[in-house]
Amino acid sequence: MLTSGVSRFLLSFLLIASCIGCSQKDNNAEFITTFGSEGSGKGEFSYVEDFAFDQFGNVMITDALNANVQVFKPDGTYIIMFGGKGEKESNLKKPEGIAIDSDGNIHVADYLSGFIKKYTPAYQHILTYSGYGTEEGKTQETEFMTFHKNGLLYVPEAGNNRVSVFDSDGKFKFSFGEAGVENGQFNRPEAVKHMSNGNLVVSDLGNHRIQVFDEYGKFISSWGQEGRGAGEFKKPSGVAIDSRDNIYVAEIGNNRIQKFNSKGEFQYMFGSTGRETGEFGNIHGLAIGPDGHLFVADTANNRVQVFSVR
């Protein structure tokens, strides 16, 4: 039997630990706003996936099941949508990844067709490239991509367990990665984003880890393993990188977000499964907006949540 003194000590410790956890969440990730609801109309979502921001700070959001891209002001005010289901060149089947090139053109990766479709800043379709397949230059089950400061588009392919690279005109350049568990290998890579030094951060979903590569696809480092603890992952999905190269990682399996510094060292985490603000369901893409706020694809809840992060 524990003595009363030991019991009081343990109770005090648990209360302090609990308060530290609450304070950490409140101080480091402050809820700002949310927008969206279930549906297929303006400002409604069926399966929120990923984000990109234009030169005016407007946010473009892919919706896989509604097969469209919606554009909003940073405060969540609806502007317009494009893409949509159909057989025209401008239509989409299951858009997931989205990125904007240096000329403001919008590139949307279609998970089902393998096509990457390019639209003008005025949302007019101008080019379709790639296509579904396993050979180089084709893509399969594309996820959350990024335009690098070198002008190239890096496209993670969950279906091919690699990252394919194109220029802004849709010309294939090279690819890296293959199926496996070793360094430089993937099990359904979900997202790729780049740091200020040009290094690429890839969420290796099926291997429950983050891998880092240089811009040529050379492996540099990795961290993480399957679990629920700090620095552990369960199906890491979206990745966002802020102006100080801090790395934010969403986890489908744990419905939370972890923050790491540029060296991959754990900083804090927030979120849990649920429908309240600060809670998530089937969490997918992440993005840092022009104002430094973190946009979160709260997919199962058919909404976007926005946080101020420190």
Side-chain angles (χ1 to χ4, degrees):
M1 180 180 294
L2 293 175
T3 65
S4 59
V6 172
S7 297
R8 285 195 298 272
F9 171 79
L10 288 174
L11 179 60
S12 297
F13 174 80
L14 290 173
L15 288 172
I16 290 171
S18 176
C19 289
I20 288 173
C22 294
S23 174
Q24 184 184 59
K25 178 179 177 180
D26 293 342
N27 289 338
N28 290 305
E30 178 184 357
F31 173 79
I32 298 296
T33 189
T34 184
F35 60 93
S37 60
E38 186 174 6
S40 58
K42 298 176 180 179
E44 296 177 335
F45 302 108
S46 186
Y47 207 94
V48 187
E49 286 282 359
D50 201 18
F51 309 94
F53 295 88
D54 68 16
Q55 61 178 327
F56 305 107
N58 298 319
V59 57
M60 301 182 191
I61 305 174
T62 54
D63 186 330
L65 295 187
N66 282 328
N68 63 29
V69 180
Q70 295 192 64
V71 186
F72 299 83
K73 293 181 179 179
D75 64 1
T77 302
Y78 171 86
I79 299 175
I80 196 172
M81 71 172 68
F82 63 96
K85 298 176 182 179
E87 300 303 321
K88 297 179 180 179
E89 280 292 303
S90 60
N91 292 138
L92 299 162
K93 293 186 181 297
K94 192 181 180 186
E96 297 209 3
I98 184 169
I100 299 177
D101 66 28
S102 59
D103 293 323
N105 295 308
I106 307 152
H107 299 244
V108 181
D110 197 296
Y111 186 93
L112 289 181
S113 71
F115 290 129
I116 302 173
K117 299 201 172 186
K118 180 178 179 180
Y119 303 82
T120 70
Y123 320 118
Q124 300 301 308
H125 176 267
I126 52 174
L127 177 68
T128 296
Y129 59 98
S130 188
Y132 199 85
T134 59
E135 60 269 34
E136 289 197 332
K138 301 296 184 180
T139 57
Q140 188 167 293
E141 298 176 5
T142 46
E143 298 285 358
F144 310 147
M145 57 194 190
T146 190
F147 265 104
H148 195 276
K149 60 183 182 179
N150 64 15
L152 298 178
L153 178 66
Y154 290 75
V155 184
E157 300 178 60
N160 285 327
N161 292 301
R162 68 188 181 195
V163 175
S164 285
V165 185
F166 300 84
D167 66 19
S168 61
D169 293 321
K171 181 181 179 181
F172 174 75
K173 307 299 288 185
F174 65 94
S175 66
F176 61 93
E178 61 183 0
V181 299
E182 302 300 323
N183 292 338
Q185 297 179 330
F186 299 116
N187 183 357
R188 300 192 66 80
E190 184 82 2
V192 56
K193 298 293 174 69
H194 70 86
M195 303 172 70
S196 63
N197 64 3
N199 288 343
L200 302 162
V201 178
V202 183
S203 56
D204 189 2
L205 182 144
N207 286 324
H208 311 286
R209 66 183 177 183
I210 295 295
Q211 295 197 69
V212 182
F213 301 82
D214 69 15
E215 64 185 277
Y216 306 104
K218 180 181 178 181
F219 173 81
I220 296 175
S221 64
S222 71
W223 73 88
Q225 61 183 8
E226 186 172 7
R228 295 183 58 84
E232 297 178 333
F233 303 106
K234 190 171 182 181
K235 296 183 178 179
S237 51
V239 172
I241 301 176
D242 67 21
S243 60
R244 294 168 293 179
D245 282 334
N246 294 306
I247 302 163
Y248 301 82
V249 182
E251 300 172 67
I252 292 175
N254 287 326
N255 278 317
R256 68 183 182 188
I257 296 167
Q258 295 192 65
K259 178 183 176 180
F260 301 87
N261 66 17
S262 61
K263 298 178 181 179
E265 298 168 337
F266 174 81
Q267 303 297 295
Y268 65 83
M269 68 177 77
F270 69 98
S272 58
T273 301
R275 298 186 61 84
E276 302 298 321
T277 56
E279 297 177 341
F280 308 109
N282 195 22
I283 187 172
H284 273 69
L286 298 179
I288 298 290
D291 57 5
H293 290 163
L294 179 67
F295 284 66
V296 181
D298 187 7
T299 306
N301 292 321
N302 300 294
R303 65 185 178 184
V304 174
Q305 293 196 64
V306 184
F307 297 85
S308 172
V309 288
R310 298 175 177 84

